[in-house]
Amino acid sequence: MIGVGRVAVIREFLHAGQERATLPGTEELMTTAEFITALFCQIADPLSGIPTHPHARLWPSEVVALGLLHALKGVGHRPFYRWLTRDYRPLFPRLPERTRLLRLFRAHHDWTQAFLAAPTVPGVIDTSGIVLMHPIREGRSPQQMGRKGLSNHRWMVGGTRCLLVNQYGLVVGWDCATANAPDKTLQWLIRQVDGRMIVLSDTAFHAAEGDPANLTLCRWGEWEDRILVETVLSMLTVVLHCKRTIRLKARVVLPPQVVIMLW
């Protein structure tokens, strides 16, 4: 599912500019500029049919590419914009002002739906927690975004991310909720692929009022195929550090299928 070469390229991008020893077989990794160009080429084709406003300064593929670079870089808005304008402004000559770029991320995050994968007969669904703050800080702000809940048997304040993946580990559907929301409230992801997918899940997705016909509940130790979604969630944590997230004023939302398309 995951190519070692592409993982190495992403790690090279995340640690660009740092001194490190050259590993055997990695002497000719692509530069960051080549990585950005290759990333843009993969994004451009699926978004070619989206109309562009006559006054827009960026193409839809440029907006999505910049949003993905922001996520891969793993820093705040200001450091990312400084890095982009200082080192790679020639690649985006019509780059708008920083706050305008963040508004574009927020307004057009639905463009990433073009990268959702097609369902396959077997599929897996699972959730993962996103920590926004330490539990002791809960309730200090009237604009608190997250809620207290359990993740991996630990209390946290934040949200939960749910991924529905096909047999190749590609994201078919996704949703987010607060950390106190039970997994059964996300059953609509399973119902929307009824007749096309048999979805494996743990018992947390069981609802007393009834389960979707295409849902197969797996008890502990059953259906080892479910480890696939755990691998995808762990890669999101390693690459994008999605387990812990700072509160962003622009509330940029990058769906996970933008990252999964790299694999």
Side-chain angles (χ1 to χ4, degrees), residues 59-126:
W59 295 92
S61 52
E62 290 181 300
V63 176
V64 175
L66 287 169
L68 181 52
L69 287 175
H70 190 345
L72 288 174
K73 193 63 178 172
V75 296
H77 298 323
R78 294 179 188 274
F80 168 75
Y81 195 80
R82 286 196 301 267
W83 167 80
L84 187 65
T85 54
R86 182 188 67 238
D87 299 337
Y88 302 104
R89 185 61 181 265
L91 297 179
F92 303 95
R94 295 173 59 85
L95 185 70
E97 191 268 335
R98 178 180 61 86
T99 56
R100 174 59 181 166
L101 179 63
L102 298 180
R103 287 195 295 269
L104 288 175
F105 290 165
R106 181 179 180 182
H108 301 299
H109 65 83
D110 58 309
W111 285 345
T112 57
Q113 300 296 323
F115 302 103
L116 287 175
T120 57
V121 174
V124 193
I125 192 170
D126 204 356

Side-chain angles (χ1 to χ4, degrees), residues 42-188:
Q42 292 192 37
I43 293 173
D45 290 340
L47 300 181
S48 58
I50 297 180
T52 304
H53 193 278
H55 296 158
R57 301 185 61 180
L58 294 176
W59 295 92
S61 52
E62 290 181 300
V63 176
V64 175
L66 287 169
L68 181 52
L69 287 175
H70 190 345
L72 288 174
K73 193 63 178 172
V75 296
H77 298 323
R78 294 179 188 274
F80 168 75
Y81 195 80
R82 286 196 301 267
W83 167 80
L84 187 65
T85 54
R86 182 188 67 238
D87 299 337
Y88 302 104
R89 185 61 181 265
L91 297 179
F92 303 95
R94 295 173 59 85
L95 185 70
E97 191 268 335
R98 178 180 61 86
T99 56
R100 174 59 181 166
L101 179 63
L102 298 180
R103 287 195 295 269
L104 288 175
F105 290 165
R106 181 179 180 182
H108 301 299
H109 65 83
D110 58 309
W111 285 345
T112 57
Q113 300 296 323
F115 302 103
L116 287 175
T120 57
V121 174
V124 193
I125 192 170
D126 204 356
T127 58
S128 176
I130 303 176
V131 179
L132 293 176
M133 66 181 69
H134 193 279
I136 201 172
R137 299 180 59 87
E138 182 189 18
R140 294 188 180 184
S141 172
Q143 298 179 345
Q144 177 179 310
M145 294 178 60
R147 295 293 183 268
K148 181 181 286 187
L150 283 172
S151 176
N152 294 332
H153 308 289
R154 295 175 124 182
W155 287 104
M156 69 166 193
V157 176
T160 182
R161 172 184 57 241
C162 180
L163 295 186
L164 173 62
V165 302
N166 61 18
Q167 65 181 11
Y168 306 113
L170 302 177
V171 177
V172 176
W174 72 282
D175 196 10
C176 292
T178 55
N180 61 338
D183 291 352
K184 65 180 182 180
T185 60
L186 302 170
Q187 283 189 352
W188 71 270

Side-chain angles (χ1 to χ4, degrees), residues 128-251:
S128 176
I130 303 176
V131 179
L132 293 176
M133 66 181 69
H134 193 279
I136 201 172
R137 299 180 59 87
E138 182 189 18
R140 294 188 180 184
S141 172
Q143 298 179 345
Q144 177 179 310
M145 294 178 60
R147 295 293 183 268
K148 181 181 286 187
L150 283 172
S151 176
N152 294 332
H153 308 289
R154 295 175 124 182
W155 287 104
M156 69 166 193
V157 176
T160 182
R161 172 184 57 241
C162 180
L163 295 186
L164 173 62
V165 302
N166 61 18
Q167 65 181 11
Y168 306 113
L170 302 177
V171 177
V172 176
W174 72 282
D175 196 10
C176 292
T178 55
N180 61 338
D183 291 352
K184 65 180 182 180
T185 60
L186 302 170
Q187 283 189 352
W188 71 270
L189 288 171
I190 305 172
R191 291 191 174 93
Q192 72 175 1
V193 294
D194 191 9
R196 297 181 294 166
M197 217 172 180
I198 298 175
V199 181
L200 307 178
S201 78
D202 55 30
T203 55
F205 281 86
H206 171 66
E209 55 272 17
D211 296 325
N214 60 328
L215 173 62
T216 300
L217 297 173
C218 306
R219 299 185 181 278
W220 182 266
E222 298 179 351
W223 288 90
E224 296 181 357
D225 302 49
R226 290 195 302 116
I227 196 64
L228 178 63
V229 71
E230 297 291 345
T231 304
V232 174
L233 289 170
S234 66
M235 288 304 302
L236 285 175
T237 302
V238 171
V239 176
L240 293 187
H241 309 285
C242 289
K243 194 68 177 178
R244 295 182 179 272
T245 308
I246 60 173
R247 179 176 175 176
L248 307 178
K249 293 182 179 179
R251 298 186 184 180

